[in-house]
Amino acid sequence: MSEPLILSLDQGTTSTRAILFDAKGAPIAEAGRPLEQFFPRDGWVEHDAEEIFQACVEVLREAVAKSGRPIKQVTAIGVTNQRETVVIWDKATGRPIHRAIVWQDRRTAETCERLRAAGKEGLVTSITGLLLDPYFSGTKIAWLLNEVEGARARAEAGELLAGTMDTWVIWRLTGGKVHATDATNASRTMLFDLKAQAWSPEMAQMLGVPISLLPEVKDCAADYGETEPQLLGRAVPIRGVAGDQQAALMGQGCIRAGEMKATYGTGCFLLVNTGEHLAPSRSRLLTTVAARLGGRTTYALEGSIFIAGAALQWVNSGFGVEGGGAGVEKLARTAREEHGVVMVPAFTGLGAPWWDANARGALFGMTRDTGLAEIAHAAFDACALQTRDLIEAMRADAPGAFGKDVELRIDGGMSRSAWFSQRLADLTGIAVGRASYLETTALGAALFAGIGAGVYADATEAAAARPSTERLEPALNTHAREAAYARWLDAVARVRTNA
């Protein structure tokens, strides 16, 4: 019998990719397509849903072709996606009624502000685990229903369907036979009751979204139908789905309470698994579904940093430092010891746990002999110190999830740097597990599909298939670490406008 292969479809914000994995979690072949972004107004971001679907088919075909393996060897497909991005389409024709509204889009800010002024945020958080923010899908769906001519009447007549990108792609891949999402994506819509694990009538009424528009909510490893035979040469079962950050959590093997991962890209997403304990956040973190397997839900706390790798890009472009992140690192490593420079990279405000949209970036602690090397060093430290903020908030919200042997598993572009990884361990005081394979989002989707297809017996067996990590222990003494964090907190207090 031939070795089972799992095809992972990673539908992201800037590209769509497919990676073919073997049962040991090793990549065999991959393919990708860039994704065009549309910016019709300031703060508005859109995607062409039809372009996304066509790219999905192309990369799935190409990955299999590159592998040289027959399509019959592909046991299942796993899907992961940019979360919160949403589209509405005609049930009969399959045509979107408008471009997809992307998670970054801010057009519903006034709606969120109006609900907040009406005192609704506490209720929203208690039901959904989220904050009132345009980031999430619910207000985007309401905007489409209100602003596209005839959309609300058509929705109420049962002519339209809505969904996040996983739902749209699955509906198209299955020829319109399956309208479904998984619990992780549902938990990012602001329409899902975390405790009931079902769509919330109360939230649907508050936002003006008919529940009939919404997909069936399934486990992360479940039967999502099969692809139309003509698309890939045979009908391939779709057996796993998860939003990108939860897929990365799985890809990092964070399946038990207290296990956590951080993905360092332009910004940073940090999630800690809190097990079956639904931890409400007092620190304005997000409570979300980590995974749902066999009807059993595990939860996570999530915090986001707006500017991580983007701080290095700022040094690159603003100061003419060449060589990308590696060039900034080379410069940073020449900085004076104990230079005392602190960068607060609040270029677009501060994310969790501060949530100050009006804060702006600043440099503190500069002296006559401060140079570009010290500023570059401070840019890396800002990423580590913002991570410490999130860890402290998570520790306060879910102390039971933090055991003695806690480790922060990292991936994303910045994790390629062994020097930054060590600096992260030093400034957070927590061991860092550096992934040897960085495409953890695609891997996580493949692992969920492997569970759904019976390749793995359970999450423990699936997580064991992930590649090894390099563990880095904190080497900085406690006094120096706490002094650096005190300087950071002082600097943050100076830029905050909502303190």
Side-chain angles (χ1 to χ4, degrees):
M1 184 176 173
S2 59
E3 172 193 38
L5 301 177
I6 304 167
L7 194 50
S8 180
L9 179 61
D10 183 354
Q11 202 296 295
T13 309
T14 58
S15 69
T16 300
R17 293 186 307 151
I19 304 179
L20 187 65
F21 291 94
D22 67 20
K24 299 182 183 69
I28 295 170
E30 65 178 271
R33 295 284 186 281
L35 175 59
E36 186 174 0
Q37 312 228 36
F38 301 91
F39 306 96
R41 293 190 198 173
D42 184 39
W44 292 28
V45 191
E46 297 176 352
H47 286 160
D48 181 338
E50 189 60 41
E51 178 196 353
I52 285 173
F53 171 67
Q54 295 301 331
C56 288
V57 174
E58 288 172 13
V59 297
L60 288 169
R61 287 174 176 167
E62 187 178 330
V64 175
K66 280 183 173 179
S67 75
R69 310 290 180 90
I71 188 66
K72 67 182 180 183
Q73 214 174 322
V74 178
T75 302
I77 292 173
V79 178
T80 184
N81 57 289
Q82 48 168 322
R83 302 175 304 172
E84 298 94 17
T85 298
V86 75
V87 64
I88 298 179
W89 65 95
D90 185 294
K91 188 190 296 186
T93 67
R95 290 197 194 97
I97 66 168
H98 188 277
R99 284 185 188 142
I101 302 182
V102 179
W103 60 272
Q104 299 153 312
D105 190 281
R106 307 297 294 176
R107 75 186 66 187
T108 62
E110 286 185 14
T111 301
C112 294
E113 193 52 51
R114 188 170 65 249
L115 290 168
R116 189 177 294 109
K120 300 292 188 183
E121 187 162 62
L123 180 61
V124 170
T125 301
S126 69
I127 294 172
T128 70
L130 307 176
L131 301 172
L132 261 174
D133 195 274
Y135 179 20
F136 306 110
S137 313
T139 57
K140 301 180 196 300
I141 296 173
W143 186 93
L144 288 166
L145 294 178
N146 293 333
E147 299 298 326
V148 177
E149 187 176 354
R152 185 165 291 282
R154 291 172 68 196
E156 289 169 356
E159 297 173 10
L160 303 180
L161 297 174
T164 42
M165 284 301 100
D166 57 311
T167 302
W168 162 249
V169 169
I170 290 166
W171 193 84
R172 289 297 306 272
L173 287 174
T174 61
K177 295 182 182 69
V178 178
H179 183 225
T181 190
D182 84 295
T184 69
N185 276 298
S187 74
R188 311 296 297 186
T189 60
M190 213 195 294
L191 292 163
F192 191 68
D193 187 323
L194 281 186
K195 298 184 188 76
Q197 285 293 293
W199 298 119
S200 165
E202 196 166 6
M203 286 305 306
Q205 183 178 15
M206 183 191 300
L207 299 182
V209 175
I211 287 180
S212 59
L213 268 182
L214 303 176
E216 178 186 358
V217 181
K218 294 175 174 273
D219 288 0
C220 299
D223 183 350
Y224 287 86
E226 53 188 29
T227 62
E228 290 280 271
Q230 71 274 16
L231 294 177
L232 302 177
R234 69 169 263 257
V236 182
I238 303 169
R239 292 293 182 265
V241 179
D244 54 9
Q245 297 307 318
Q246 284 92 338
L249 195 69
M250 180 64 180
Q252 285 279 30
C254 298
I255 59 173
R256 286 168 286 272
E259 294 179 328
M260 59 182 172
K261 73 91 196 172
T263 299
Y264 291 91
T266 300
C268 170
F269 289 93
L270 196 157
L271 281 79
V272 61
N273 188 322
T274 61
E276 293 184 61
H277 172 57
L278 198 165
S281 177
R282 295 174 298 279
S283 307
R284 290 179 67 76
L285 300 174
L286 306 177
T287 305
T288 195
V289 172
R292 199 170 84 190
L293 294 167
R296 174 177 164 265
T297 305
T298 52
Y299 298 94
L301 284 169
E302 177 175 328
S304 56
I305 296 167
F306 294 159
I307 301 293
L312 312 185
Q313 293 164 356
W314 177 74
V315 176
N316 281 134
S317 58
F319 295 96
V321 176
E322 297 181 355
V328 180
E329 179 188 326
K330 184 177 179 181
L331 180 64
R333 294 177 74 165
T334 68
R336 290 181 294 108
E337 294 281 336
E338 309 288 329
H339 57 76
V341 178
V342 179
M343 176 192 290
V344 183
F347 305 145
T348 55
L350 286 168
W354 311 111
W355 294 109
D356 188 340
N358 297 314
R360 288 296 174 262
L363 284 162
F364 296 98
M366 292 192 291
T367 61
R368 181 68 181 79
D369 53 358
T370 295
L372 188 51
E374 285 71 35
I375 293 172
H377 195 282
F380 277 99
D381 279 4
C383 299
L385 291 161
Q386 288 178 104
T387 305
R388 169 86 184 258
D389 281 340
L390 294 181
I391 288 169
E392 294 302 328
M394 289 174 174
R395 203 191 300 270
D397 284 340
F402 284 79
K404 289 180 181 176
D405 195 33
V406 65
E407 175 185 88
L408 176 61
R409 297 173 186 170
I410 64 170
D411 53 64
M414 290 183 70
S415 69
R416 289 188 177 94
S417 167
W419 178 78
F420 168 70
S421 302
Q422 183 60 57
R423 192 69 183 154
L424 184 62
D426 287 345
L427 290 177
T428 59
I430 287 177
V432 167
R434 186 171 161 234
S436 58
Y437 179 66
L438 298 184
E439 304 300 338
T440 55
T441 300
L443 176 59
L447 296 179
F448 279 128
I451 297 168
V455 176
Y456 311 113
D458 53 25
T460 302
E461 187 176 314
R466 71 187 183 92
S468 60
T469 56
E470 175 192 7
R471 185 176 167 101
L472 303 165
E473 299 287 347
L476 191 66
N477 67 68
T478 302
H479 174 75
R481 177 186 308 121
E482 295 310 313
Y485 192 50
R487 286 195 298 273
W488 165 257
L489 292 176
D490 177 67
V492 168
R494 292 168 186 263
V495 304
R496 285 179 64 193
T497 63
N498 61 1

